Amino acid sequence: MTRDIQLVAIDLDGTLLRDDKSLSQENVDAIKDAIEQGVQVVICTGRTLPSIQYLSKQLPQGHGDEYLILQNGAVIHQLPDLNIVHETILTESDRQAIYDVFKEYRSEEVQMVAFDPDKLYLVDDETANPTVVQDAKTLSTDITLAKFEEVLNLETLYKIVVFGGVEFIDDYLEKIPNDLYEQVHIVRSLPVAIEFIPKLANKANGLNALIQLLDIKAENIMTIGDELNDYEMVKMAGLGVAMENGHPEVKRVADELTLTNNENGVAHAIRKFVTQPPHNS
């Protein structure tokens, strides 16, 4: 079954990428087929720009304007020059409120990192724990040590992430005051991570900004994701697709399910709902 899909937005980790962070040729071929049929394909991820530049060499490109939605919708880049066409940043007030809660409930196993367009800052710590080290490796970004005062005064800050053990994160979410939930957007992007991003920054709002620019209706987009930071974009799309390995809440709001990220679930969804599916022999 095919639909009138004009744009496909795809999450990376747990969706387009396999568990080992590799990109399958089957997914690449399916994206190429969609582009050749005139469909806009957009990566929509919580990652930073440095962490996805290696992927741009592996993914097929269209002949017109191409875009990347990064930092969970906080910034949109236009390719190939990476011009910023939309961004939403954390205000100084947002940063201070996030830090105040972190400082009140922090422990030795918990660390805070902050992200500007290019850097990952480890806040008020001298040594990154293994979780932060792995995150920096995944994002292909060096760790920069910084005091909170430096982070507070950065011109552009897209998000702050608190890393800790699963049980701590469970408890931390319960302790965050309601007024902070009202001030910024808070999402558990991983079992060990809570992301604090600008109130209006999520993947759905980033997509809405882009489709307004491209004059595409939400009913004509398909989104594919797996984690809670994909929840809004899966829910808002004309066709929201959740990975079989996805979070139960994302599956609940999805219109369709596809295979897991290790089974080329993105390719399966594109071929089923966007491009002409292959005929059985």
Side-chain angles (χ1 to χ4, degrees):
M1 176 183 179
T2 57
R3 307 191 185 196
D4 183 20
I5 300 298
Q6 299 172 23
L7 183 148
V8 178
I10 308 172
D11 171 55
L12 285 181
D13 298 289
T15 301
L16 182 62
L17 302 181
R18 292 176 287 212
D19 286 348
D20 64 0
K21 306 304 179 184
S22 64
L23 178 63
S24 73
Q25 188 61 46
E26 188 167 346
N27 281 343
V28 170
D29 291 343
I31 290 172
K32 182 179 179 181
D33 290 344
I35 291 172
E36 288 179 349
Q37 292 192 21
V39 177
Q40 187 106 27
V41 178
V42 178
I43 298 301
C44 191
T45 177
R47 287 188 179 213
T48 60
L49 183 59
S51 71
I52 67 161
Q53 288 181 318
Y54 77 98
L55 280 172
S56 64
K57 300 176 182 178
Q58 302 179 49
L59 289 171
Q61 302 294 321
H63 301 296
D65 292 332
E66 303 291 321
Y67 299 87
L68 298 170
I69 301 177
L70 306 181
Q71 305 273 22
N72 281 324
V75 60
I76 302 175
H77 291 278
Q78 183 176 8
L79 300 174
D81 297 328
L82 300 175
N83 297 324
I84 294 175
V85 298
H86 171 83
E87 70 176 352
T88 309
I89 66 173
L90 287 169
T91 66
E92 288 188 17
S93 175
D94 294 338
R95 303 173 204 184
Q96 187 66 60
I98 295 165
Y99 182 73
D100 288 344
V101 175
F102 168 74
K103 186 171 59 175
E104 182 174 357
Y105 296 114
R106 74 176 302 179
S107 66
E108 290 184 1
E109 67 180 48
V110 180
Q111 292 189 322
M112 172 184 282
V113 299
F115 295 86
D116 71 3
D118 304 305
K119 295 182 179 179
L120 181 159
Y121 298 92
L122 177 63
V123 182
D124 288 354
D125 267 303
E126 296 297 323
T127 305
N129 66 31
T131 305
V132 174
V133 170
Q134 181 57 51
D135 191 59
K137 181 179 179 181
T138 299
L139 298 178
S140 303
T141 305
D142 292 335
I143 297 171
T144 300
L145 303 183
K147 296 297 184 183
F148 175 70
E149 290 74 16
E150 299 173 66
V151 171
L152 185 65
N153 293 317
L154 288 172
E155 181 177 353
T156 302
L157 196 73
Y158 291 134
K159 67 179 178 180
I160 290 174
V161 183
V162 172
F163 287 98
V166 173
E167 291 184 1
F168 173 85
I169 296 298
D170 289 339
D171 187 52
Y172 193 84
L173 283 167
E174 296 293 328
K175 292 177 178 176
I176 295 173
N178 289 334
D179 57 356
L180 186 54
Y181 276 101
E182 294 173 1
Q183 184 173 349
V184 298
H185 184 64
I186 302 172
V187 61
R188 188 174 191 167
S189 55
L190 295 169
V192 296
I194 304 173
E195 296 198 8
F196 300 83
I197 56 182
K199 184 64 176 178
L200 297 179
N202 60 50
K203 291 186 179 183
N205 286 342
L207 265 174
N208 274 320
L210 180 59
I211 64 176
Q212 287 179 31
L213 179 67
L214 299 177
D215 195 25
I216 296 174
K217 296 179 180 179
E219 65 193 60
N220 298 123
I221 70 173
M222 179 173 82
T223 58
I224 313 174
D226 71 306
E227 264 298 347
L228 286 175
N229 60 333
D230 301 311
Y231 178 95
E232 289 89 356
M233 81 166 185
V234 169
K235 185 177 180 180
M236 63 82 74
L239 180 60
V241 179
M243 306 297 291
E244 179 57 42
N245 54 286
H247 191 283
E249 286 299 302
V250 179
K251 291 182 177 181
R252 183 178 63 82
V253 299
D255 300 297
E256 301 284 351
L257 296 181
T258 188
L259 303 176
T260 71
N261 62 314
N262 292 320
E263 299 172 310
N264 304 306
V266 166
H268 179 79
I270 289 175
R271 289 172 177 154
K272 184 174 182 181
F273 302 117
V274 181
T275 60
Q276 183 64 40
H279 297 289
N280 294 326
S281 56

